[in-house]
Amino acid sequence: MRGDRMRPPAITAAAMVLATVGAVGVTAPVQAKPAEPAKTPTAVGYGGAISTVDATATAVGLDVLKRGGNAVDAAVAAAATLGVTEPFSAGIGGGGFLVYYDARTRTVHTIDGRETAPAATTETLFIDPATGQPYPFDEARISGLSVGVPGTLLTWRDALDRWGTRSLAQLLRPAERVARTGFTVDETFAGQVAANQAAFAQFSSTSALYLPGGRPPAVGSTLRNPDLAATYRLIAQRGTDVFYRGRIGRDLLTTVQSPPLAAQPTTSWPYPIRPAAMTAADLASYRTRLPAPTHSDYRGLEVFGMATPSSGGTAVGEALDILERFDLRSMTATQALHHYLEASALAFADRNRYVGDGTPRPTLDELLSDAYAAERACRIDPAAALPKPVAPGVPDGSYGGCPTAARADTRDDRTGTTNLTVADRWGNVVEYTLTIEATGGSGMVVPGRGFLLNNELTDFNFSPTQGTAPDPNLPAPGKRPRSSMSPTIVLADGRPFLAVGSPGGATIITTVLQTLVNRLDLGMTLPQALAAPRASQRNGTTTQAEPAFIAAYAQGLPPGHVLGSTTEIGAATGIEFLPDGRMVAAAEPVRRGGGAAAVVSTPRH
Ligand code: GLU
C-alpha cells in the first residue's frame, strides 16, 4: 500500500541513552594471537558501521572500513572471518543471500549464493529405499546426501567484482591470520561442538579439528585451524577456480562421495552415513544468480528482500502488507503482537504452498500485492486467534471476499546460520545472511582443508507437504532448496533507513518481521527492537515463544493462541540510519552469547 512517504519517529534523545555508545578497538598483530576485541551490542556514530555475532569478525570488517574499503569489502572480510570463528554456522562449504544498496545508483541488488542439488538428484533424495519412508532428519543430515554445491565463495567473488574496491586475496588475509594464529573458544562455540559431539566423532577430519582429545575444546582455550588458513591462502593465490575446478574441489567431492569415517569413533551414531553422487561437473557449473529484490511498501517505506529460492522476501513482505491494513500504533502492544502472529501464520501458509526455487515471478508479485493482502487480512479476528494451520489463499489476481488446511511448517527452527550488516561512509549497505544450514552442517570437514560442508539440501521437503496440491520445495536436479533467510533493507525516500537480518531457520522470517514491527510500529529503538522478547508463529498449532515473551504477553493475548516455550529465537544484527547522519549498529545483547556492533567514528561531543 502506498502511503505518505514518512520516516517512523526518530529515536529520541532519552531512548538514545539506552543504546550504549561504543566502538570496538582493532588490533592486528602479525604472528601471535591478537588480543580478542571487546563485544558491545550497540554502537552509534559516523563514517561506517558493522554488526555481526562475533567480535573478531566485527573488528576485521571495521578495520577494512577504517582503511577506506567499502561495505562490500568489509562484508566479505567479516564473512571470511566468521568462517573461522563461527565455523558451525557459516563458511565456504555453505551458501547464503546478500542484499546490497548501492548509494551511487540508489538501487538495491541481491546475490543468490544458495547451494544447488547435484544433477543426479531425484525427488526421492531423502526417501529411504528400504522402507519407502523419509529418513529421520539426523540420518539425512549427517551424510553426503544433504550436501549442496556451495555458493559462498562465488558470492564473495561476484559481490567484489560488481561493487567491491579490494581483491578477494586482500580480504581473505585477516581471516587467514585468525585461522593460523587462533581464537579463544567461548561458551557458545564449545556448546555447539558438544551438541554435535556424536556426529563429529564419526569423521576423522572433524574430530581431529573440533574434538581434541575426543572432547569439545575447553572454554578459554585457543583454537587454530591451519588447514583453513592454507585453504584461504591457496584461494587468494589461485582464485576461486581452485575451489570449483581444482584441488580443493577434488577433496570436497571425495568427502561427499566417500565420507571420511573415523577408524574408531569415540561416540556411537545410530545411522549409516551415506555417500552421494556430487560430480566435478556439478561443482564447475555452479553460478550465483542476481534476482531482482522483492519489494513492498510499508507505511511509506520501501522494504527490499530476497526473492526465491529464499521465501524470506515474500513472506516478510506479505505479512507486512497484511499488517499495513491495521493501525498497529493505536493498539496495545499485546493487540499489535496478536496481529503480528496472525499475519505471520497467513504468510507462512502461502509460503509453504507457493514458494520454492522456480516459482514464477508473477506469483511472487501477486503474493506481494496489496489487493491480495487485503483479502488475506480480512481473515484476522481481533478477538481470537485463528485455528492453525490456516489454509493458503489463492494469489491469482482475482480477489474479493474471504476464502475459507495445509500442513504446518514446524520443523525448521534451527539456528545454524549467521547474519551481518555493514554500511560505509558513502552510504552503501550490505545485509548478508550465510549458512551451512544446521549448526555443524553435514558434520563433515573436508580433510586437509579445514572447512565443514553444508547440509543445505535438507531444506527441501523430504516428501510432499501440500496434499493434492503441488509442493514447490521437493528435491530436483540443479534445484536450490527453499530458504527462509531474510536479509532486508528498508529505504525512506530512496535512502537507507534500516537494514536487518537473522539466523534461525524458518524463524528468521518471524524474527525479521517482529523486529520491523517493533521498530516501525511499537515505538522501540533498533537496539530495543532486537533485544525484545520474540515469538514465532509459522502456521503451526503452537507459537514458539521465548520465556520473557510468555511472561509479558501470554495473559493479554486473545483466546486461541497456544504458546510453547523455547529458550531463544534468532541472533539478529542491524543498522539504522538516523536523519542527522549517525548510524546505529545493533547486535544481540544476550542471545547466542551476544553480538558485536561497531562504528568507524563515535559522535563528536
Ligand atoms: N538453512 C536455513 C535456511 O536457509 C537456515 C538455517 C538456520 O538459520 O539455522 O532457511
Side-chain angles (χ1 to χ4, degrees), residues 69-402:
N70 72 10
V72 174
D73 302 326
V76 169
T81 306
L82 289 169
V84 182
T85 57
E86 291 278 316
F88 312 122
S89 296
I92 56 175
F97 297 97
L98 187 150
V99 179
Y100 172 63
Y101 173 80
D102 187 69
R104 194 177 54 79
T105 56
R106 295 223 210 159
T107 49
V108 180
H109 306 264
T110 77
I111 299 184
D112 157 11
R114 186 69 161 171
E115 297 89 334
T116 54
T121 302
T122 65
E123 197 171 294
T124 56
L125 176 65
F126 293 120
I127 301 295
D128 186 342
T131 63
Q133 296 301 310
Y135 294 120
F137 178 76
D138 275 344
E139 182 169 356
R141 177 196 156 200
I142 305 298
S143 79
L145 295 177
S146 67
V147 182
V149 180
T152 290
L153 196 53
L154 282 184
T155 303
W156 298 350
R157 188 201 67 184
D158 292 347
L160 292 172
D161 283 354
R162 282 180 175 76
W163 311 300
T165 68
R166 304 280 192 271
S167 69
L168 179 61
Q170 263 177 298
L171 297 168
L172 288 176
R173 219 170 282 147
E176 186 229 312
R177 188 166 50 232
V178 176
R180 187 160 31 84
T181 58
F183 59 94
T184 304
V185 171
D186 64 12
E187 268 171 42
T188 304
F189 190 101
Q192 289 175 334
V193 179
N196 277 290
Q197 185 160 353
F200 285 3
Q202 306 313 306
F203 303 104
S204 51
S205 50
T206 315
S207 41
L209 182 57
Y210 292 124
L211 293 170
R215 283 186 302 280
V219 174
S221 64
T222 297
L223 198 129
R224 296 186 180 83
N225 188 343
D227 287 347
L228 184 56
T231 297
Y232 278 168
R233 205 158 47 241
L234 193 59
I235 295 167
Q237 287 159 356
R238 302 285 166 83
T240 52
D241 267 3
V242 74
F243 187 97
Y244 287 95
R245 296 157 190 276
R247 284 189 260 162
I248 300 173
R250 276 196 293 279
D251 291 348
L252 185 161
L253 294 174
T254 304
T255 309
V256 176
Q257 294 161 359
S258 174
L261 299 179
Q264 284 184 318
T266 49
T267 318
S268 64
W269 183 250
Y271 307 113
I273 292 165
R274 296 163 201 279
M278 189 187 287
T279 64
D282 291 322
L283 207 48
S285 60
Y286 184 87
R287 300 284 181 277
T288 62
R289 300 173 184 163
L290 291 99
T294 59
H295 174 263
S296 23
D297 292 301
Y298 188 64
R299 306 198 198 281
L301 302 165
E302 290 183 280
V303 181
F304 292 90
M306 201 60 229
T308 51
S310 186
S311 56
T314 45
V316 170
E318 182 187 339
L320 287 175
D321 287 343
I322 294 170
L323 290 173
E324 198 175 26
R325 320 295 305 186
F326 303 94
D327 184 8
L328 301 186
R329 286 185 204 176
S330 71
M331 298 179 186
T332 64
T334 312
Q335 274 178 323
L337 289 167
H338 165 65
H339 284 76
Y340 148 69
L341 295 172
E342 297 295 85
S344 178
L346 291 162
F348 261 92
D350 291 333
R351 167 223 193 237
N352 295 348
R353 171 61 59 87
Y354 299 111
V355 183
D357 192 16
T359 303
R361 195 75 195 202
T363 305
L364 302 185
D365 292 343
E366 285 303 327
L367 288 171
L368 290 174
S369 72
D370 288 331
Y372 184 59
E375 186 179 86
R376 294 300 269 158
C378 73
R379 296 223 45 208
I380 296 182
D381 178 348
L386 292 163
K388 311 290 185 315
V390 296
V394 183
D396 60 359
S398 142
Y399 308 116
C402 294

Side-chain angles (χ1 to χ4, degrees), residues 114 414-417 435 437-438 456 459 482-485 503-506 508:
R114 186 69 161 171
R414 300 171 303 277
T415 53
T417 303
T435 187
E437 213 303 283
E456 215 71 55
D459 271 357
R482 178 175 61 207
S483 170
S484 300
M485 289 187 268
I508 293 171

